[in-house]
């Protein structure tokens, strides 16, 4: 059958294409300077494109490595005094969690802080999170070493003198040693025990930075906010909630606003005029205030990422055009001895595809 598929010179198509490929390799090897410049432009364009998209992927697209990440949402409140969505007070968070089981399979949160960490005369400043005891269980996080904060552990003020280390900080400070578990360290001047290490792939719930440690929310009172558990005006909790299957974000938001109306009646000084907002977790990165403008930002970002690659391709295309003009004599000779336009075009396309 191949004998019936021949080019103008009587060569089988496959043999003809292999001949074009061999000639393209010889041509590119002979013109090494052009080949090196073209590949460098391609490498810079693809490298810059990949770097920019990889950075944007962390902020916009990549789901957290947690259970049911596609159903994970961020809950925020919006008041008349502040037009942007804000974090939630711990007292309000407990009320929302207790009365929203119809729309959410679980609700947790975290409080970010800069804490002092001391061990054997060494002191570090850690980026850490104070978390309720259901934090790891709701997100489906399993320990890489030791154990994580257990349900009910450290949910009341002054309780839960334990700490869970981030994987990177554990490797940096303790050299990845298993004997780190059970050691007593200082956290903001309070003696706590290291009980576990999170898995390597879990960098924390805040997409911008990796958490160095996690401690029970009961230890917040020893930090910078002694009124954390009682004040409804102190919005410090970043709330995460997992939607029940089949529940939409608008329905969940409406259910939380019904709870919010009851809270406004019971605590008018703090919750009056407060509206609850629910966002998908990726759209609320790094803060819920960015969620409304996220579609425009994503569009501009993707256009810019695409333009980087387009500019690189146009530069290589200009080089190929200039090279084709310099090869006018060669192409004329090939045409004179019988090469058709299709064959000449195929040869040039083979060289371009080989570069790509």
């Amino acid at each position: 059958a191949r004998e019936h598929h021949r080019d103008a010179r009587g060569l089988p198509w496959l043999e003809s294409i292999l001949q074009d490929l061999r000639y393209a390799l010889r041509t590119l090897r002979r013109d090494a300077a052009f080949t090196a410049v073209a590949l460098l432009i391609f490498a810079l364009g693809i490298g810059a494109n990949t770097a920019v998209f990889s950075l944007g992927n962390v902020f916009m697209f990549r789901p957290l490595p947690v259970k049911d990440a596609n159903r994970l949402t961020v809950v925020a409140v919006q008041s008349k005094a502040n037009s942007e969505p804000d974090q939630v007070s711990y007292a309000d968070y407990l009320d929302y969690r207790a009365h929203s089981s119809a729309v959410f399979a679980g609700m947790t949160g975290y409080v970010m802080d800069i804490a002092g960490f001391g061990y054997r005369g060494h002191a570090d400043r850690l980026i850490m999170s104070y978390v309720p005891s259901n934090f790891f269980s709701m997100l489906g996080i399993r320990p890489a070493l030791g154990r994580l904060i257990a349900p009910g552990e450290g949910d009341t003020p002054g309780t839960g003198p334990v700490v869970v280390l981030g994987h990177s900080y554990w490797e940096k400070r303790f050299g990845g040693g298993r004997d780190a578990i059970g050691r007593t360290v200082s956290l903001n001047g309070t003696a706590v025990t290291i009980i576990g290490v999170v898995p390597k792939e879990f960098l924390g719930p805040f997409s911008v930075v990796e958490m160095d440690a996690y401690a029970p929310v009961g230890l917040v009172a020893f930090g910078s906010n002694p009124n954390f558990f009682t004040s409804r005006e102190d919005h410090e909790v970043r709330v995460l909630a997992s939607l029940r299957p089949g529940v939409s974000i608008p329905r969940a938001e409406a259910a939380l606003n019904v709870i919010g109306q009851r809270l406004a009646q019971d605590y008018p000084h703090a919750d009056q005029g407060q509206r609850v907002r629910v966002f998908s977790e990726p759209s609320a990165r790094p803060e819920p205030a960015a969620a409304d403008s996220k579609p425009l930002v994503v569009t501009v970002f993707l256009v810019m990422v695409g333009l980087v690659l387009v500019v690189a391709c146009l530069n290589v295309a200009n080089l190929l055009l200039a090279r084709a003009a310099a090869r006018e004599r060669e192409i004329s000779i090939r045409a004179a001895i019988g090469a058709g336009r299709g064959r000449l075009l195929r040869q040039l396309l083979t060289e371009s595809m080989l570069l790509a």
Side-chain angles (χ1 to χ4, degrees):
R2 191 175 63 179
E3 292 299 318
H4 296 283
H5 296 82
R6 298 174 177 270
D7 66 359
R9 296 189 303 162
L11 291 174
W13 275 104
L14 181 58
E15 184 179 340
S16 176
I17 292 174
L18 291 176
Q19 187 182 68
D20 287 343
L21 184 60
R22 288 194 296 268
Y23 183 77
L25 284 169
R26 290 197 303 268
T27 302
L28 294 177
R29 186 171 58 220
R30 184 173 63 246
D31 197 354
F34 163 80
T35 304
V37 171
L39 293 181
L40 178 62
I41 293 174
F42 269 137
L44 290 174
I46 295 172
N49 190 77
T50 304
V52 172
F53 184 83
S54 297
L55 181 63
N57 186 40
V58 173
F59 288 95
M60 300 179 185
F61 306 117
R62 186 177 65 191
L64 292 177
V66 300
K67 180 180 66 176
D68 299 326
N70 60 320
R71 300 206 303 265
L72 192 64
T73 62
V74 172
V75 178
V77 294
Q78 193 169 352
S79 64
K80 293 180 179 179
N82 184 3
S83 60
E84 294 184 344
D86 195 8
Q87 281 80 49
V88 183
S89 70
Y90 185 72
D92 282 351
Y93 151 74
L94 292 178
D95 286 324
Y96 288 134
R97 189 180 73 178
H99 300 96
S100 61
S101 58
V103 291
F104 290 115
M107 183 180 291
T108 189
Y110 63 101
V111 180
M112 289 182 61
D113 193 16
I114 305 294
F117 183 91
Y119 176 69
R120 291 185 177 177
H122 296 281
D124 292 328
R125 301 292 288 177
L126 305 187
I127 300 175
M128 65 165 296
S129 291
Y130 294 101
V131 299
S133 62
N134 71 335
F135 178 82
F136 293 109
S137 58
M138 196 207 89
L139 297 179
I141 305 298
R142 296 183 178 275
L145 186 66
R147 68 173 181 89
L148 303 178
I149 299 171
E153 185 176 20
D155 281 338
T156 55
T159 62
V162 296
V163 64
V164 175
L165 299 181
H167 200 278
S168 294
Y169 183 74
W170 166 62
E171 291 183 330
K172 180 179 72 173
R173 171 54 62 199
F174 296 95
R178 302 180 66 87
D179 57 348
I181 304 301
R183 293 186 181 183
T184 299
V185 297
S186 172
L187 186 67
N188 282 336
T190 301
V192 297
T193 302
I194 299 174
I195 59 171
V197 179
V198 299
K200 186 176 183 179
E201 63 273 12
F202 183 66
L203 305 181
F206 196 62
S207 61
V208 179
V209 295
E210 180 178 359
M211 294 296 150
D212 295 318
Y214 306 82
V217 73
L219 297 182
V220 171
F222 292 110
S224 58
N225 188 1
N227 300 319
F228 172 78
F229 289 91
T230 57
S231 175
R232 291 183 181 267
E233 297 175 344
D234 193 358
H235 295 183
E236 286 197 52
V237 181
R238 302 171 187 268
V239 177
L240 300 171
S242 180
L243 292 170
R244 288 194 176 279
V247 176
S248 66
I249 287 180
R251 178 184 166 187
E253 188 172 287
L256 288 182
N257 275 298
V258 172
I259 302 171
Q261 291 173 5
R262 293 200 296 266
L263 294 178
Q265 295 175 356
D266 296 337
Y267 311 99
H269 65 286
D271 292 350
Q272 187 67 42
Q274 188 168 270
R275 175 192 173 196
V276 184
R277 302 287 306 276
V278 179
F279 306 97
S280 65
E281 189 276 327
S283 70
R285 297 176 184 173
E287 297 286 349
D292 292 333
S293 60
K294 204 62 167 288
L296 176 61
V297 173
V298 170
T299 301
V300 173
F301 170 78
L302 291 178
V303 169
M304 291 178 63
V305 167
L307 286 176
V308 171
L309 192 58
V310 168
V311 169
C313 293
L314 288 176
N315 285 331
V316 175
N318 286 332
L319 285 177
L320 289 171
L321 287 174
R323 183 167 178 266
R327 297 172 63 186
E328 182 178 358
R329 183 172 179 274
E330 172 201 338
I331 295 174
S332 298
I333 293 174
R334 289 168 63 86
I337 61 177
R341 291 184 177 181
R343 181 62 188 275
L344 293 174
L345 178 60
R346 195 179 72 193
Q347 178 63 52
L348 296 176
L349 285 175
T350 301
E351 295 176 13
S352 298
M353 291 176 66
L354 190 60
L355 278 175

